[in-house]
Amino acid sequence: MKTTKKIQLPESEMPKAWYNIIADMKNQPLPMLNPGTKQPLKPEEMEGLFAKGLVEQEFSKERYIEIPDEVWQLYKIYRPSPLVRASGLEKALDTPAKIYFKNESVSPVGSHKLNSAIPQAYYNKIQGIKHITTETGAGQWGSAMSIACKHFGLDLQVYMVKVSYDQKPYRKFVMQTYGAEVIPSPSTRTAAGRSYLEKHPNSPGSLGVAISEAVEAAVTHPDTRYTLGSVLNHVILHQTIIGLEAEKQMEMAGDYPDVVIGCFGGGSNFSGITFPFLRHNLVDGKTTRFIAAEPASCPKLTRGKFEYDFGDTIGMTPLIPMFTLGHDFEPAAIHAGGLRYHGAGSIVSQLLKDGLIEAQAVKQLDTFDAGVLFARSEGIIPAPESTHAIAVAIREALKAKEEGKEKTILFNLSGHGLIDMAAYDNYFAGKLTNFEVPDASIEDNIAKLEKLA
Ligand SMILES: *Cc1c(COP(=O)(O)O)cnc(C)c1O
């Protein structure tokens, strides 16, 4: 029999529209609120911050939204991405399960982030916006925006979490190579940064503070808009290209997943790979399971609470209905920088509340065990974020072995780890630890939220 290792979708078969799951949700996500009035946010209120085309998508209830031709043509630089049968990993685990992964590490920045960066830059460009601000943790989103802005002739300011700026300089160099200005956050450029620095002069920074700074820089300058790399509905919409392709590729392989897994930061790659399959649960009676893999040290889905909360630390964003650890939760300095975020998007939060998806937490050492096994059996060194999905895929494959059952597992390889080798070095040197979050610290943080909405 012919073995299928890599399943490559022909370019002409690349989806022409993104999928908006809101059109198929029985319980709609709750609206975002204006934090001042506590009233549902209106599209006009977001247009000072985000490009109009993106705001329209944020509020859209259309099931399919056409991918503009200019965006589609750029996607072709690295898409369709391959679907790969992880036969090496199956063998290493001696499991009866079939394991597939969607390889999003093939993009020029090495992660799925470019899938949303390209359309975000595009919608700003066609509106005549000249300057973009954004924030980045470890640098994946900033790198993706840097390429996209360069392509569309927009200039870009990236507020980069200071500890990454100092300790993980390579993605800073990537961003600079594409022509972006990179500013360590907290900075003295913004009132938000200055006030935070006054209280925490030696702060290593966090994604939440960097968001506050980038938002402030956008709303206080002309012809400038802000972009966000996860959490919001329009970002999740763009990422569905992953699952829409995977759906066609699974069909080419003659298979359909029993379980689909993605690692979880704000929810964009998880939603991207799962929503097109989840649609078949919602409308065709399929019973696929969907598992979000989060760090045990930042457990918003498994231990957080469903509440209205801010998307940033200072409290400048709208109130978002989400599973959260509280906007001033300070996650431990794990190497999966892209997963160190206190909250989750409103669609994913509603789906979790309704039991339509599941979540599992993974400890840092287990993620690196999984990452190294994957590298040695499949040849790709995964990003520390992606190792969370791999660890859960391995759990599911070993469970199948225990039960002596066949099972088809699909996970998203959100990125490669070639710029994260210092993390692997620490792991091999025995310097990595697991971090525990005491219940009391979560409860304290969440107790503060009850007054917000
Ligand atoms: C940013 C990032 C993530 C986490 O973000 P999501 O929006 O939850 O997908 C995961 N993996 C990689 C490689 C990333 O760059």
Side-chain angles (χ1 to χ4, degrees):
M1 216 184 78
K2 208 174 78 189
T3 53
T4 44
K5 181 68 185 168
K6 184 165 95 176
I7 299 124
Q8 189 65 64
L9 194 66
E11 205 170 270
S12 58
E13 288 286 311
M14 194 167 80
K16 297 266 184 180
W18 295 295
Y19 168 57
N20 180 8
I21 198 168
I22 287 184
D24 291 314
M25 286 170 69
K26 208 165 81 198
N27 293 339
Q28 292 283 298
L30 300 175
M32 287 190 281
L33 302 181
N34 176 316
T37 64
K38 310 281 160 82
Q39 292 303 304
L41 198 71
K42 297 190 195 80
E44 311 85 87
E45 294 175 281
M46 280 186 104
E47 285 176 3
L49 193 53
F50 294 101
K52 274 200 174 93
L54 298 170
V55 174
E56 208 174 286
Q57 293 177 350
E58 190 63 28
F59 287 85
S60 173
K61 295 191 188 301
E62 292 291 316
R63 181 170 288 107
Y64 292 102
I65 295 176
E66 197 184 324
I67 301 174
D69 188 59
E70 234 177 303
V71 171
W72 197 83
Q73 296 298 337
L74 282 170
Y75 274 170
K76 285 203 304 192
I77 294 171
Y78 63 100
R79 309 205 69 84
S81 71
L83 180 80
V84 184
R85 175 80 182 264
S87 43
L89 181 61
E90 289 171 16
K91 203 164 150 220
L93 297 171
D94 186 27
T95 172
K98 289 187 267 186
I99 309 175
Y100 294 85
F101 64 93
K102 181 75 167 153
N103 185 1
E104 290 295 309
S105 81
V106 299
S107 94
V109 282
S111 79
H112 68 288
K113 294 282 195 324
L114 201 52
N115 299 335
S116 186
I118 293 171
Q120 291 200 40
Y122 167 81
Y123 287 107
N124 275 284
K125 169 71 183 178
I126 60 170
Q127 191 184 325
I129 300 300
K130 302 278 188 289
H131 314 279
I132 303 290
T133 69
T134 197
E135 74 292 323
T136 198
Q140 289 105 327
W141 171 245
S143 306
M145 272 315 288
S146 301
I147 297 192
C149 286
K150 182 46 74 188
H151 178 84
F152 288 106
L154 301 162
D155 78 39
L156 175 66
Q157 253 189 8
V158 185
Y159 288 86
M160 183 174 190
V161 175
K162 188 161 178 289
V163 60
S164 305
Y165 183 95
D166 292 335
Q167 290 175 9
K168 300 189 169 178
Y170 288 104
R171 285 205 181 83
K172 168 174 74 187
F173 305 147
V174 170
M175 291 183 262
Q176 288 165 342
T177 302
Y178 292 117
E181 184 191 3
V182 188
I183 303 148
S185 164
S187 79
T188 52
R189 294 245 190 143
T190 63
R194 288 188 296 270
S195 86
Y196 196 79
L197 278 174
E198 231 165 74
K199 283 181 236 138
H200 314 270
N202 299 315
S203 167
S206 75
L207 215 43
V209 178
I211 295 175
S212 306
E213 289 207 88
V215 165
E216 180 187 326
V219 297
T220 52
H221 290 88
D223 297 328
T224 307
R225 291 291 183 280
Y226 164 74
T227 58
L228 184 64
S230 187
V231 181
L232 294 176
N233 298 355
H234 66 268
V235 186
I236 276 150
L237 174 80
H238 303 150
Q239 294 295 353
T240 58
I241 184 100
I242 303 172
L244 292 165
E245 286 179 3
E247 210 184 338
K248 294 186 179 199
Q249 288 161 309
M250 288 301 292
E251 201 179 323
M252 287 166 74
D255 246 328
Y256 193 85
D258 298 304
V259 51
V260 185
I261 301 159
C263 66
F264 199 98
S268 78
N269 91 90
F270 169 79
S271 306
I273 185 108
T274 58
F275 286 3
F277 293 99
L278 178 52
R279 168 157 195 268
H280 296 295
N281 281 24
L282 299 178
V283 303
D284 305 330
K286 291 262 193 208
T287 55
T288 302
R289 293 169 57 215
F290 302 96
I291 309 175
E294 68 178 4
S297 58
C298 192
K300 60 245 178 181
L301 301 178
T302 52
R303 294 171 65 197
K305 196 163 169 221
F306 186 81
E307 283 284 351
Y308 270 102
D309 195 4
F310 290 111
D312 67 326
T313 303
I314 310 274
M316 297 181 66
T317 69
L319 289 168
I320 305 173
M322 54 155 111
F323 275 90
T324 178
L325 295 164
H327 57 273
D328 40 21
F329 179 80
E330 270 216 26
I334 54 167
H335 282 279
L339 308 186
R340 292 179 69 234
Y341 183 68
H342 65 274
S346 63
I347 297 177
V348 179
S349 294
Q350 186 65 44
L351 292 169
L352 182 66
K353 191 160 171 261
D354 291 341
L356 297 166
I357 61 171
E358 311 164 32
Q360 292 184 20
V362 193
K363 292 183 176 156
Q364 176 157 263
L365 289 173
D366 294 342
T367 69
F368 278 89
D369 290 346
V372 170
L373 179 64
F374 183 77
R376 291 178 183 173
S377 54
E378 290 297 325
I380 302 171
I381 298 181
E385 290 85 1
S386 315
T387 58
H388 290 70
I390 299 171
V392 171
I394 291 173
R395 271 184 201 166
E396 289 295 318
L398 291 177
K399 210 164 75 187
K401 178 170 159 181
E402 229 174 76
E403 295 167 351
K405 270 197 215 141
E406 274 207 13
K407 169 154 63 170
T408 301
I409 300 167
L410 167 64
F411 73 86
N412 193 39
L413 184 74
S414 55
H416 69 64
L418 291 176
I419 308 185
D420 304 282
M421 293 318 293
Y424 280 86
D425 182 40
N426 283 335
Y427 168 72
F428 291 127
K431 289 185 198 153
L432 290 192
T433 52
N434 290 327
F435 295 92
E436 303 296 337
V437 187
D439 283 335
S441 86
I442 296 180
E443 279 156 24
D444 283 357
N445 259 313
I446 290 175
K448 290 185 224 154
L449 295 182
E450 277 155 19
K451 290 170 245 79
L452 282 181

